[in-house]
Amino acid sequence: MTKINTLTGQQRLQQLAKSQFGSAVIPPVEAAGKSTNSEQGQFSDKHRQLSARSGASVATGYAGLTLTQRAERRIQMQLERQQQNLERIMALALEYCPEYVSTQDIDPDWFQQFCDLTLDISNFSMQQLWAKILAGEIASPGKFSLKTLHTLKRMSFKEALALQQAANLSCRTRQDPTARIYFGYSHRPSLWRVLTGRSRAVLNLNQFGLSYTQILSLIDIGLLHSSEIESGELPIGQALNWQYLHLNIIGTISSKNVVLQYYKYTASGAELLPLLSTQPNQQYLDALKQLLVGIVSFSD
């Protein structure tokens, strides 16, 4: 029997780096992207720094350069920054690579597009997110679609923070593993409901860190579906089994004609969600249970 030699995640990443750069990845010595005190100066200092980074420095030392020379210098600086961004992401991915990975090689077309899309990613937090994607793809090729990569490319750091807030309020069901954010319920219209009680109740998610503006931004970039979703009418006695981060929430429908309302992640949103570090929001969980107390009997 022939023994199959398997590679670790880091070894596969080093192979990819050699094919792209011609050399191996050098692990980062210290966290990158942190601001120094000198970068917190007054407007004029920041202006000079940005000018220098753009290659169109306003410093007098470049007054003797021609317009063509300044353009060539700007292009060269841009290429160097892009190369630095790509190499930093590759180096960060070393930290996330698991020991054991699939024997299947990563799709070369996927990897080439990954490299092209990361060239202008300079924010350190976003670089970490891209590095986790590369490590995840090495571990399990096909885990992240090209559509998800292009969605992430459009995402700003502010939108990434919104996704983090949404992740902290997300749960799954046994029937559908795609994450969702529950925020309310309604009763199917009936004369009795109109005459005797409320037919709809919702939570203000802004109280728990997720504003409506953030929800709209996540919808706009394609991480949440574009409209609120209803569960369909749930019969009395139907069991609820929710996984809220690491907590199991068990309950039973105790009222007729109940419809739960939630925001649901798209396929791209569902692929990105596991990359985030999440913390349960106990206030949200308590408020959701209180909201549903008349229609769901929760187990202790």
Side-chain angles (χ1 to χ4, degrees), residues 146-177:
L146 288 174
K147 182 178 180 180
T148 296
L149 296 188
H150 285 275
T151 298
L152 182 57
K153 174 67 175 180
R154 295 171 52 209
M155 188 189 303
S156 66
F157 180 62
K158 185 176 180 179
E159 289 163 339
L161 292 178
L163 181 61
Q164 178 66 72
Q165 293 296 331
N168 291 335
L169 306 182
S170 301
C171 69
R172 295 172 173 80
T173 68
R174 184 181 297 275
Q175 295 78 15
D176 185 354

Side-chain angles (χ1 to χ4, degrees), residues 102-140:
S102 170
T103 56
Q104 180 183 352
D105 288 333
I106 194 171
D107 181 2
D109 293 333
W110 185 97
F111 179 63
Q112 186 59 54
Q113 290 204 44
F114 175 90
C115 293
D116 293 342
L117 291 170
T118 58
L119 291 176
D120 296 313
I121 306 299
S122 57
N123 179 278
F124 182 64
S125 295
M126 297 301 291
Q127 287 179 342
Q128 288 180 308
L129 197 56
W130 282 95
K132 290 179 180 179
I133 286 180
L134 179 57
E137 188 70 14
I138 291 172
S140 180

